Amino acid sequence: MASCIFDSGFNVLEEGLTVRDAIDKIIIEHQLKDLTDAFHVADLGALVDQHLRWQRALPRVKPFYAVKCNSSKPVVQILAQMGMGFDCASKNEIALIRDIGVAAERIIYANPCKESSHIKYAASRGVQTMTYDNEDELPKVAKNHPAAKMVLRIAADDLKSSFPLGEKFGAPMNECKILMESAKALNMDIIGVSFHVGSGCTDPNAFTQAIAEARLVIDMGIDLGFHMNLLDIGGGFPGADHILFEEMAAVINRALDIYFPDESQVQIIAEPGTYYVATAFTLAVNIIGRKIVKNEQLCSDDEEAENEKIIMYYLNDGNFGTLLDFDCNLKPLLCKKHCPDQQLYNSRVWGPTTNNRDHISDQWKLPELEIGDWLIFENIGAYSISLSSNFSGFHCAPIRYVMGNVTWKTFQKIKDECQAGGEGQEDTV
Ligand SMILES: Cc1ncc(COP(=O)(O)O)c(C=O)c1O
């Protein structure tokens, strides 16, 4: 147990053991004790792997992990020790990250519409960099945090992303000048521009366009007398699916070289959330209930009716727990071995609450499963445990943290290098 540097502790897996082995072992332990509780296994090594991949693919872009995506303490602690920055969206996120010893300079308060008391709190914890995209935000910040360094969030094309954010945030190009003039009139400092192409972005060119527009806005700021030295390219990077991260990175690098070459002296940061944590978490759930629905129209032929039946399954995690918003990307793995030629049935899968919206999927064809069988959902680290509620008395499934033996050694090397370079954790203010 390598618990010395983490409050929560985690297990370093024995040589040759995989995360799936760890899950199978926990399931066997559960079965021996007649337990059916759902659980997550978080592979902290996935964070290390993703970080190395990021550094290789986007060497000019410093990641500020979006805490909202998954704020579990071991996750942010591992990332902090690898020298990451953090994107915080609220007072509590700032508290979490400052309390684990991350210096205020490594935090961007990236929420364009902030509550006054949260702005005041950011000031009290030394966090200065924060985003805005509208005129009404400025007097609030001027009053509660006059030393704040503002970053203007501009609108970006998010049409090809799974979770667009543009309807809520981002200033249109034709408002940017006035938004900067208003800041100037209030004696406020603007240091850069940010954007977000939407989570689950499938079109790397959305970054190219936004980077080009950011250049125009940064030049506008320079003309107005601001010292513009920050470009924040937001989130939207893929976690486990559709588009290859490296392809996206190549497009981004090309755009940065054109619009923000090294000589421009603009620091480039990003706010990846999904990219870092999606693959790190795996959920094991138990089938706690089942209902077989016969297709009434086919009852003339017994065999056909049998083949066409729909099986409803009730799991002990669902939309009010950690499985919200995953419908199209989610596919369970079965724990029990099934022969490949086994009959598959249409299934309707529900979470454990009595609410109709706790409906996980109708998309899966599954062999006939039984109460007590286990299903595994991979790649569910992003917007899962952070969205989990206690609705109807159900709680977030517990998390067991692990890291592979080899990755553990790699992590320690990165951590030591960061500390030597002054980028590790620092004393809390
Ligand atoms: C301001 C901001 N930054 C970063 C993120 C993280 O985005 P992603 O999970 O796509 O990396 C979000 C997600 O909502 C966000 O709103």
Side-chain angles (χ1 to χ4, degrees):
M1 185 72 133
S3 56
C4 47
I5 53 163
F6 297 98
D7 299 347
S8 326
F10 65 94
N11 284 89
V12 175
L13 295 174
E14 283 164 35
E15 193 109 29
L17 278 191
T18 63
V19 170
R20 187 57 201 266
D21 295 330
I23 291 169
D24 290 345
K25 190 162 168 258
I26 298 168
I27 289 178
I28 290 168
E29 283 166 13
H30 273 47
Q31 284 166 336
L32 289 174
K33 294 181 197 156
D34 206 16
L35 290 175
T36 56
D37 305 19
F39 63 89
H40 290 267
V41 170
D43 175 13
L44 297 173
L47 307 176
V48 180
D49 293 341
Q50 286 295 77
H51 188 52
L52 291 173
R53 201 174 157 200
W54 181 283
Q55 287 178 319
R56 274 194 302 271
L58 286 170
R60 294 188 55 207
V61 185
K62 183 173 165 75
F64 278 55
Y65 171 69
V67 178
K68 64 180 77 64
C69 192
N70 182 322
S71 58
S72 87
K73 209 162 178 185
V75 165
V76 292
Q77 280 175 316
I78 283 278
L79 296 174
Q81 298 204 15
M82 291 194 294
M84 297 269 292
F86 290 89
D87 147 16
C88 296
S90 65
K91 173 181 170 172
N92 285 340
E93 288 188 355
I94 292 171
L96 170 70
I97 299 306
R98 289 294 281 123
D99 288 349
I100 60 167
V102 173
E105 299 73 49
R106 281 166 57 197
I107 296 175
I108 179 165
Y109 186 1
N111 186 340
C113 292
K114 298 168 281 300
E115 197 170 334
S116 292
S117 61
H118 291 215
I119 299 170
K120 215 179 269 181
Y121 183 77
S124 76
R125 300 300 304 262
V127 175
Q128 297 210 309
T129 310
M130 55 188 68
T131 59
Y132 83 111
D133 71 352
N134 67 87
E135 195 122 20
D136 287 328
E137 191 69 4
L138 290 169
K140 268 193 301 175
V141 179
K143 180 169 171 217
N144 294 293
H145 194 351
K149 295 180 185 309
M150 305 307 288
V151 175
L152 177 54
R153 173 149 163 194
I154 60 171
D157 174 6
D158 58 6
L159 292 176
K160 296 208 183 115
S161 59
S162 323
F163 297 94
L165 302 163
E167 204 184 330
K168 191 167 182 185
F169 295 124
M173 285 300 277
N174 62 1
E175 287 179 17
C176 289
K177 187 153 183 253
I178 182 95
L179 284 173
M180 289 196 279
E181 285 169 345
S182 305
K184 203 173 175 70
L186 288 167
N187 226 358
M188 296 173 74
D189 194 13
I190 303 179
I191 61 158
V193 169
S194 74
F195 61 79
H196 196 305
V197 294
S199 286
C201 175
T202 56
D203 178 14
N205 293 320
F207 279 95
T208 307
Q209 191 188 329
I211 290 169
E213 289 180 353
R215 177 74 253 175
L216 295 175
V217 179
I218 282 189
D219 288 340
M220 240 183 252
I222 292 171
D223 286 347
L224 287 168
F226 292 110
H227 184 54
M228 305 288 275
N229 59 9
L230 185 75
L231 170 67
D232 175 356
I233 63 171
F237 304 92
D241 39 12
H242 40 262
I243 178 161
L244 196 62
F245 169 65
E246 280 74 10
E247 272 173 32
M248 189 174 262
V251 173
I252 292 170
N253 286 333
R254 271 198 297 278
L256 291 177
D257 286 345
I258 295 169
Y259 298 103
F260 294 92
D262 270 338
E263 317 81 81
S264 67
Q265 310 233 317
V266 171
Q267 189 199 1
I268 322 281
I269 68 168
E271 300 165 1
T274 304
Y275 169 81
Y276 269 90
V277 284
T279 55
F281 279 60
T282 305
L283 172 68
V285 293
N286 199 266
I287 297 176
I288 54 165
R290 189 180 81 161
K291 197 193 286 185
I292 296 181
V293 184
K294 296 249 162 53
N295 190 333
E296 298 293 324
Q297 279 136 33
L298 290 169
C299 56
S300 55
D301 178 335
D302 280 354
E303 198 186 333
E304 204 176 344
E306 168 68 14
N307 291 347
E308 286 299 317
K309 71 187 177 189
I310 293 171
I311 312 183
M312 305 230 281
Y313 295 108
Y314 301 82
L315 311 182
N316 54 1
D317 200 341
N319 282 350
F320 295 97
T322 49
L323 290 175
L324 181 71
D325 276 342
F326 281 95
D327 191 7
C328 50
N329 293 324
L330 204 63
K331 181 93 218 273
L333 303 174
L334 309 177
C335 257
K336 238 174 28 191
K337 300 258 175 298
H338 288 270
C339 354
D341 55 354
Q342 198 164 356
Q343 167 80 44
L344 298 178
Y345 297 96
N346 292 320
S347 58
R348 298 199 81 187
V349 183
W350 304 87
T353 73
T354 54
N355 192 292
N356 238 16
R357 285 187 297 167
D358 199 1
H359 174 220
I360 302 168
S361 185
D362 279 349
Q363 308 293 318
W364 308 323
K365 280 194 170 269
L366 300 170
E368 186 162 343
L369 302 169
E370 290 164 21
I371 291 177
D373 282 348
W374 290 87
L375 299 180
I376 308 284
F377 293 102
E378 293 181 313
N379 304 324
I380 64 146
Y383 308 106
S384 52
I385 62 163
S386 56
L387 293 177
S388 172
S389 77
N390 293 335
F391 175 59
S392 213
F394 294 94
H395 297 287
C396 182
I399 307 162
R400 306 257 190 121
Y401 295 92
V402 298
M403 195 188 289
N405 193 292
V406 177
T407 321
W408 169 238
K409 289 178 193 138
T410 310
F411 164 69
Q412 282 180 312
K413 228 172 111 207
I414 300 173
K415 179 168 75 86
D416 292 345
E417 280 165 12
C418 281
Q419 262 161 7
E423 274 201 314
Q425 283 170 287
E426 297 166 37
D427 286 336
T428 315
V429 173

